[in-house]
Amino acid sequence: MSLGSVPTELGERFGAAGQELALVGGWVRDALLDRGDDDLDLTTSARPEQTLELLSGWADTVWTVGQAFGTIAARKGNRTIEITTYRSERYDAGSRKPEVSYGDSLVADLRRRDFTINAMAVRLPRPDFVDPFGGLADLATGVLRTPGTPQESFSDDPLRMMRAARFAAQLSFAVDPAVVSAMTEMAQRITIVSTERVRDELSRLLLAPHPRAGLELMVRTGLADHVLPELPALQLEIDEHHRHKDVYEHSLTVLEQAIAMEDRIDDGGPDLVVRLAALLHDIGKPRTRRFEPGGGVSFHHHEVIGARLARRRLAELRYPKQVVDDVADLTELHLRFHGYAGGEWTDSAVRRYVRDAGPLLSRLHVLTRADSTTRNRRKAVALQRSYDDLERRIAALAEQEELERIRPDLDGNAIMATLGIPPGPKVGEAYRYLLELRMESGPLGEDKAREALLTWWEAQG
């Protein structure tokens, strides 16, 4: 474990002032996993005002935004540093904010941490490994346990239940049965945590390498009932195309398949929008399920209802508006391909597909491909070939027509000049007519567009 000069200098600086200082938490865990990070997380016996004084004149920049909670942040060279006074924090039954009290013992500080793998420390300046709760052994065996009882840990901060799910997804660790039991028993406590903290933890889980493990844990323990209730609701629904598994299993599989294809996205991955859309794309099915004569099940317009539900849930979780809009749009568009999958795509259908997807096109490609989870090998291959053909058509038309920037052949000024009318609603109607004509027929050129516009105008009376 290589510490570098910054932790050593800090340790000497605090030691000279008669204060203890130790590296803790995720930095120690990740260093032991050979996943080192330049960001340093430290704990100290010094009170925040003392920490601030010791950093002044040494750090390049110092931030005090977390001082009320015992944390002073700084930057030295390329390393970001957070130093927190030994502390404990606890939520009262109805509180959304923790009560913070300072302590005087490193071991007591480690005991109040979420899991044993985060309750290890390295004292500074002379490295001294401290592991009072067996975190190293749990790290070696891949088990997630709490330093004290899980009930104590989750009472101190209910968000730790979601962290358990996140670490299951991030590290592929098994969760100790006692932790699972406490999560099940205390799941409702997550409702006292601020929406923003819950949202951020959910995002970290979804962006982890194996989010399925964490999501399944949330559903199994009842945590998802309070955070993302649309997900467990899918367990009761049978997918009309995949009768061998329910929509819940299908959605998790789509998520995994989308993750495997994220290199197709313009910006690469991991991609929160794609992962949310993959997880939520079928949440409209419970609202639209109908039992048909002969034993069939239908979910007509579930993509429209699902988009509405996804928009509402993500807005309640206070995701940024762009994320909400993008996930809702992808949910509504995810079946569009299947309307054409059985036959030849016309040029106008290709243009509309690209226009409606807009900047989400590469994400829609991934979601649509991932949505094929059939075990019928022949059907799966046919669907993929059909989508390959669509992408080739899009590329060919894009080269010819610049599909991403489809506009009518005449702009608003040209429309007014041609028709001799002032600005107003009729200009918008004419513009929309020319846009539809452009989608159907491709580029016409200004002369033919004017002829078509005048013919349309005459027909309007």
Side-chain angles (χ1 to χ4, degrees):
M1 184 185 296
S2 176
L3 300 183
S5 61
V6 170
T8 303
E9 290 177 18
L10 270 175
E12 292 171 347
R13 195 174 183 88
F14 275 69
Q19 302 292 348
E20 297 177 0
L21 185 70
L23 285 159
V24 288
W27 190 93
V28 178
R29 179 197 70 225
D30 289 344
L32 290 168
L33 290 172
D34 198 25
R35 296 165 45 179
D37 193 339
D38 286 338
D39 294 346
L40 302 176
D41 186 10
L42 302 106
T43 188
T44 181
S45 58
R47 295 299 188 257
E49 60 274 11
Q50 295 170 307
T51 297
L52 183 59
E53 184 178 343
L54 288 166
L55 289 175
S56 297
W58 176 82
D60 299 329
T61 309
V62 178
W63 298 280
T64 59
V65 66
Q67 185 168 352
F69 296 97
T71 300
I72 303 295
R75 187 160 188 83
K76 178 73 169 179
N78 64 348
R79 310 199 84 162
T80 300
I81 303 154
E82 282 196 357
I83 305 177
T84 303
T85 301
Y86 295 157
R87 68 181 183 182
S88 62
E89 57 188 37
R90 180 180 298 274
Y91 283 78
D92 286 336
S95 172
R96 287 182 175 271
K97 294 183 179 180
E99 293 181 0
V100 176
S101 59
Y102 299 131
D104 298 304
S105 162
L106 174 60
V107 172
D109 181 85
L110 294 177
R111 180 181 175 81
R112 64 97 188 166
R113 292 179 180 266
D114 51 5
F115 302 104
T116 60
I117 60 171
N118 295 327
M120 299 176 285
V122 177
R123 291 185 190 272
L124 300 170
R126 182 179 299 172
D128 177 23
F129 184 61
V130 181
D131 182 20
F133 304 106
L136 186 59
D138 289 342
L139 200 63
T141 55
V143 175
L144 206 61
R145 292 190 306 112
T146 53
T149 69
Q151 288 80 4
E152 289 174 342
S153 181
F154 300 154
S155 290
D156 286 349
D157 184 354
L159 189 68
R160 291 174 176 177
M161 294 184 287
M162 287 199 65
R163 286 193 197 128
R166 190 242 297 182
F167 283 125
Q170 196 173 57
L171 302 174
S172 298
F173 276 22
V175 182
D176 184 78
V179 173
V180 175
S181 178
M183 290 174 67
T184 305
E185 171 191 334
M186 303 175 69
Q188 194 274 339
R189 287 274 289 166
I190 196 66
T191 59
I192 72 169
V193 181
S194 73
T195 301
E196 290 81 3
R197 294 183 75 213
V198 170
R199 174 204 63 208
D200 291 347
E201 201 60 49
L202 177 63
S203 295
R204 292 185 188 104
L205 188 161
L206 288 170
L207 293 171
H210 307 289
R212 180 172 186 148
L215 293 166
E216 288 178 331
L217 179 60
M218 287 181 61
V219 170
R220 189 164 73 250
T221 59
L223 201 58
D225 292 339
H226 305 287
V227 175
L228 200 63
E230 293 80 4
L231 182 59
L234 294 175
Q235 290 177 299
L236 303 178
E237 308 307 321
I238 303 301
D239 187 305
E240 75 274 28
H241 298 303
H242 313 282
R243 294 173 184 269
H244 58 274
K245 54 183 173 290
D246 61 25
V247 180
Y248 169 72
E249 291 291 332
H250 165 72
S251 298
L252 293 177
T253 300
V254 171
L255 173 60
E256 291 180 313
Q257 294 185 167
I259 291 170
M261 289 187 280
E262 281 181 324
D263 59 347
R264 292 172 174 262
I265 300 171
D266 293 338
D267 298 329
D271 189 284
L272 182 62
V273 167
V274 161
R275 296 188 184 199
L276 280 168
L279 187 64
L280 302 179
H281 75 285
D282 274 346
I283 61 171
K285 285 189 171 179
R287 295 279 186 92
T288 58
R289 179 175 61 168
R290 297 290 181 272
F291 295 100
E292 304 292 348
V297 181
S298 67
F299 301 93
H300 296 308
H301 306 302
H302 74 269
E303 73 280 11
V304 177
I305 302 300
R308 191 181 308 153
L309 293 174
R311 183 180 298 280
R312 185 175 69 188
R313 175 58 53 197
L314 297 180
E316 287 181 359
L317 286 167
R318 299 185 185 174
Y319 274 98
K321 184 179 184 301
Q322 192 64 60
V323 171
V324 176
D325 290 345
D326 288 351
V327 173
D329 288 348
L330 285 171
T331 301
E332 188 163 355
L333 289 168
H334 83 272
L335 285 184
R336 184 69 61 86
F337 164 74
H338 296 283
Y340 301 97
E344 179 70 17
W345 282 66
T346 63
D347 286 351
S348 62
V350 174
R351 293 186 193 102
R352 284 190 171 86
Y353 194 81
V354 173
R355 179 194 64 182
D356 292 346
L360 296 173
L361 184 61
S362 66
R363 290 184 171 101
L364 182 59
H365 288 336
V366 167
L367 177 60
T368 304
R369 287 180 179 277
D371 194 28
S372 174
T373 61
T374 177
R375 292 181 180 177
N376 183 321
R377 175 69 177 167
R378 183 178 298 176
K379 184 178 180 181
V381 170
L383 283 170
Q384 294 302 329
R385 285 178 176 170
S386 183
Y387 208 87
D388 288 342
D389 180 62
L390 171 59
E391 288 203 53
R392 282 193 292 269
R393 294 285 304 284
I394 289 172
L397 276 177
E399 186 174 349
Q400 296 170 22
E401 304 180 14
E402 297 185 346
L403 286 182
E404 296 84 355
R405 294 183 293 277
I406 286 182
R407 298 289 185 275
D409 294 277
L410 302 178
D411 62 16
N413 290 328
I415 290 171
M416 289 186 287
T418 300
L419 300 180
I421 60 175
K426 288 296 182 182
V427 178
E429 290 180 30
Y431 185 92
R432 287 189 290 275
Y433 164 73
L434 289 175
L435 179 58
E436 285 301 312
L437 188 62
R438 170 74 172 78
M439 300 299 293
E440 284 291 338
S441 306
L444 296 174
E446 292 187 5
D447 291 342
K448 288 186 177 180
R450 285 192 181 91
E451 291 178 15
L453 177 61
L454 289 170
T455 301
W456 172 84
W457 183 248
E458 185 177 349
Q460 303 303 304

